[in-house]
Amino acid sequence: MPSDAPVDLYSLAFTCSVDPLLLLDESGRILALNPAAERLFSTPGATVRGGPVDEALRPDPPLGALLDQVIRDRAPRALPPDFTLHLANERAVLAEGSLSPLVDPAGACAAVLLALRDVTERRRAEQAARDQGARLNAAIEALDVGFVVYDAEERLCFFNTAYKSLYPECAAAIQIGNTFEDVVREGCRNGIHLHSGLSEDEWVAGRLADHRRSGEVYMRRFGDRWLTLKSTRLADGSFVGLRIDTTELKQAELDLERERQFIRLVLDTIPIVVTVKDREGKMKLVSKSYAQLYDTTPEAAVGKTVGDLPSSHAELSTIGEMDREVLARMQPVSRVQPVARPNGKVRWMSIVKVPLIEQDGTAHILAIGTDITAQREHEEHMAATIAELERQKQAIADQLSVIQRQQALIRALSTPVLQVAAGVLAVPLIGALDDARADDVTSKLLDEVVRTGARFAIIDVTGIESVDAATADHLVRIVRAIRLLGASGVLTGIGPSVAQSMCGLGVDLSGVTTHGNLRAGIEVCLRALPGRR
């Protein structure tokens, strides 16, 4: 073509367009197609030119009805959204485009331009993106962790069901477009902040500060729940937040802390010394009573060894020996050990040490000590008291022995058995006649009757002022005992009062010889002896 020839710009545009273009007549036959269309068909244009477009492209849906509408209305129309071309080799192409009427100056439709654009890959990419988004949404929705997104203006733009369920007090305000402050204030209207003792504005200010603290993980209480929260600011200024219900974990933590405090209270209350040491001798647990022995605190003693505390050399030696023995034998070891306090006073401790084995096999030494200083002092006092009592007992025994000898002498002197004549004995009784004295008198008198061969034994009761039933019985028994030895017992010295008492008691004196006084009794006995008449 000569360089000065006129250029048909319309034809040039048709030919050079990167989008497939086809010219159709009113019946839908292909009048022309550009190179891009040939490439789309993968076939030379001559093979399809003049043929119906529905046969060449096998579109779904067919173009006939849409083509008739374009020709009738003389107005362009876009292809349906799911317009699909079924080309050679069973190749399906998703296409976008339009049908545009080419109207001549007279208003007649000379042809229709079919503009196509292959969007197969784009649609596939879009579908893949939609599928991926759906999977991501499903995954986020399946989480039992609250997930939320706020934009740079702190407006809610995405949340999952778990997020909303964590804040029932705020549920009415958890809607796309509401601000974070809207959500927090809705919770305050339902009392979510009352446990804190803060006002609504103070609570809101604190929650906003938490929300804007990017990247930090923290735990907060909301009513009767504990949540762990984290908010991260993205490059565009928006916030992505995670919310995890850690109520059970927090409750377990609180229970563990209460248990720890209870154990601490027990250790600080019980009047015994408790320590737990590791193999190196460092304190892992110390009771208050142990710390007080060394004028320190349990907190200050933990992590230290006994050598770090003001202990005596002997004490350190015994403690070290016990520790080594426990670890070597893995059996309890006990000692009684003096402990020197910093003030110089000595306390006596009964110490028992046992191996303490953790589940992983780690061995520790549990020591339990009881302050037996008072007991030891009491034992020493009791020993001294017992020694003194023994001394006093011996002294009393010595005195008692003297008294017994004196009593025997007194009885011998107070109840003499006198031989007034051959064959006649006399026993003057003075004072009370109790069981012991009656037995003594009977024994001595019978012995003398046998030894001397006496025929008469005179019992003089002049010195007895009164007679009771026991005394009367003793006298009768003595007389009968004398009679069993073949001698005669004679009672003398019975005065009016004694006689009246014996009659009142009903004492049976039948067979018992009695005389008014000792002299009369002796005379009668002497006359009764053979050869004395």
Side-chain angles (χ1 to χ4, degrees):
M1 179 181 298
S3 59
D4 56 353
V7 178
D8 184 352
L9 296 178
Y10 295 103
S11 297
L12 184 60
F14 181 81
T15 302
C16 295
S17 174
V18 295
D19 291 328
L21 300 175
L22 294 90
L23 284 177
L24 309 177
D25 63 13
E26 292 183 352
S27 64
R29 292 183 179 277
I30 299 174
L31 298 177
L33 68 161
N34 68 352
E38 292 183 358
R39 290 193 297 274
L40 177 63
F41 297 151
S42 299
T43 183
T47 60
V48 298
R49 193 176 293 116
V53 67
D54 282 345
E55 291 182 6
L57 300 179
R58 291 187 294 165
D60 181 20
L63 289 172
L66 185 60
L67 180 62
D68 291 344
Q69 185 180 3
V70 169
I71 293 171
R72 183 180 66 250
D73 298 339
R74 299 293 192 269
R77 292 287 186 271
L79 298 176
D82 297 328
F83 191 69
T84 304
L85 305 178
H86 296 278
L87 304 176
N89 300 324
E90 300 299 326
R91 186 163 63 94
V93 174
L94 298 175
E96 291 179 351
S98 62
L99 283 171
S100 302
L102 301 180
V103 182
D104 61 18
C109 183
V112 176
L113 178 64
L114 173 59
L116 298 172
R117 182 176 298 110
D118 186 351
V119 293
T120 303
E121 294 303 321
R122 192 186 77 189
R123 292 283 183 84
R124 288 176 179 170
E126 289 174 352
Q127 186 60 43
R130 286 193 294 272
D131 292 344
Q132 183 176 3
R135 286 193 297 271
L136 181 60
N137 286 341
I140 293 174
E141 189 62 28
L143 293 174
D144 57 358
V145 174
F147 182 85
V148 65
V149 179
Y150 286 89
D151 63 17
E153 285 72 39
E154 298 184 353
R155 291 188 299 267
L156 184 60
C157 54
F158 180 84
F159 63 91
N160 65 354
T161 302
Y163 176 81
K164 190 171 184 177
S165 67
L166 289 174
Y167 299 99
E169 299 90 345
C170 309
I174 299 179
Q175 298 180 16
I176 302 301
N178 283 347
T179 65
F180 182 78
E181 184 173 347
D182 293 336
V183 174
V184 176
R185 290 197 179 276
E186 174 65 19
C188 289
R189 283 190 287 273
N190 290 291
I192 197 172
H193 67 301
L194 295 180
H195 70 276
S196 67
L198 301 175
S199 67
E200 178 177 335
D201 289 339
E202 290 172 332
W203 173 264
V204 171
R207 291 294 297 113
L208 287 172
D210 288 342
H211 176 71
R212 294 162 183 166
R213 190 181 300 124
S214 178
E216 184 174 340
V217 178
Y218 52 93
M219 184 180 290
R220 292 289 182 270
R221 181 182 173 187
F222 297 88
D224 59 353
R225 304 174 312 284
W226 286 88
L227 302 182
T228 298
L229 307 93
K230 180 178 181 180
S231 293
T232 301
R233 186 187 292 271
L234 303 181
D236 63 355
S238 60
F239 291 87
V240 175
L242 293 176
R243 307 289 187 266
I244 304 173
D245 189 340
T246 50
T247 304
E248 291 186 2
L249 180 63
K250 184 64 176 181
Q251 189 60 49
E253 179 184 331
L254 293 175
D255 291 344
L256 186 62
E257 177 60 21
R258 280 194 292 270
E259 182 178 346
R260 189 194 68 80
Q261 291 180 357
F262 181 76
I263 294 174
R264 183 76 263 169
L265 177 62
V266 172
L267 286 177
D268 291 346
T269 304
I270 56 177
I272 61 175
V273 171
V274 178
T275 63
V276 176
K277 295 187 291 186
D278 60 19
R279 282 183 170 272
E280 285 69 41
K282 292 183 178 180
M283 306 287 181
K284 297 178 67 68
L285 181 67
V286 173
S287 67
K288 185 177 181 180
S289 54
Y290 179 85
Q292 289 175 339
L293 280 175
Y294 299 100
D295 290 346
T296 184
T297 63
E299 294 76 15
V302 170
K304 294 183 178 179
T305 66
V306 179
D308 299 325
L309 302 174
S311 308
S312 67
H313 178 74
E315 182 182 342
L316 286 175
S317 176
T318 301
I319 291 174
E321 178 184 339
M322 292 181 70
D323 290 349
R324 288 189 295 271
E325 187 174 352
V326 169
L327 294 175
R329 296 172 52 195
M330 284 297 167
Q331 291 182 356
V333 175
S334 60
R335 295 281 193 283
V336 173
Q337 170 69 32
V339 176
R341 296 194 61 193
N343 59 10
K345 294 183 177 180
V346 175
R347 308 297 295 179
W348 282 90
M349 304 296 296
S350 174
I351 303 173
V352 177
K353 295 193 176 187
V354 298
L356 186 65
I357 312 299
E358 293 190 61
Q359 291 183 347
D360 62 358
T362 303
H364 304 286
I365 302 171
L366 169 62
I368 301 173
T370 304
D371 190 335
I372 60 171
T373 305
Q375 176 184 342
R376 193 176 182 91
E377 291 175 350
H378 176 71
E379 290 174 351
E380 292 175 353
H381 175 72
M382 289 298 295
T385 301
I386 291 172
E388 176 62 20
L389 290 176
E390 288 292 336
R391 186 190 65 77
Q392 294 179 6
K393 176 183 176 182
Q394 185 60 44
I396 291 172
D398 294 341
Q399 293 177 357
L400 183 60
S401 177
V402 173
I403 291 172
Q404 289 175 341
R405 289 195 299 272
Q406 291 174 346
Q407 287 178 339
L409 179 60
I410 291 172
R411 284 196 300 270
L413 295 175
S414 65
T415 314
V417 180
L418 306 174
Q419 186 170 4
V420 296
V424 181
L425 300 176
V427 179
L429 295 179
I430 300 172
L433 185 64
D434 55 14
D435 292 346
R437 190 179 181 195
D439 290 342
D440 184 63
V441 169
T442 303
S443 177
K444 290 171 63 177
L445 182 56
L446 296 179
D447 287 343
E448 286 299 310
V449 169
V450 172
R451 186 181 68 80
T452 62
R455 295 287 302 280
F456 297 96
I458 302 171
I459 303 169
D460 183 56
V461 296
T462 304
I464 297 178
E465 296 181 357
S466 62
V467 176
D468 57 11
T471 302
D473 184 64
H474 290 320
L475 292 173
V476 172
R477 288 177 179 274
I478 293 172
V479 172
R480 289 176 180 172
I482 295 171
R483 189 180 299 164
L484 291 175
L485 293 179
S488 297
V490 179
L491 288 177
T492 63
I494 298 177
S497 60
V498 172
Q500 186 176 1
S501 297
M502 295 181 74
C503 290
L505 294 171
V507 178
D508 183 12
L509 295 178
S510 60
V512 178
T513 302
T514 61
H515 295 282
N517 54 56
L518 178 61
R519 179 178 179 180
I522 292 173
E523 290 177 351
V524 171
C525 290
L526 289 175
R527 286 198 298 270
L529 290 174
R532 300 295 295 270
R533 297 183 179 181

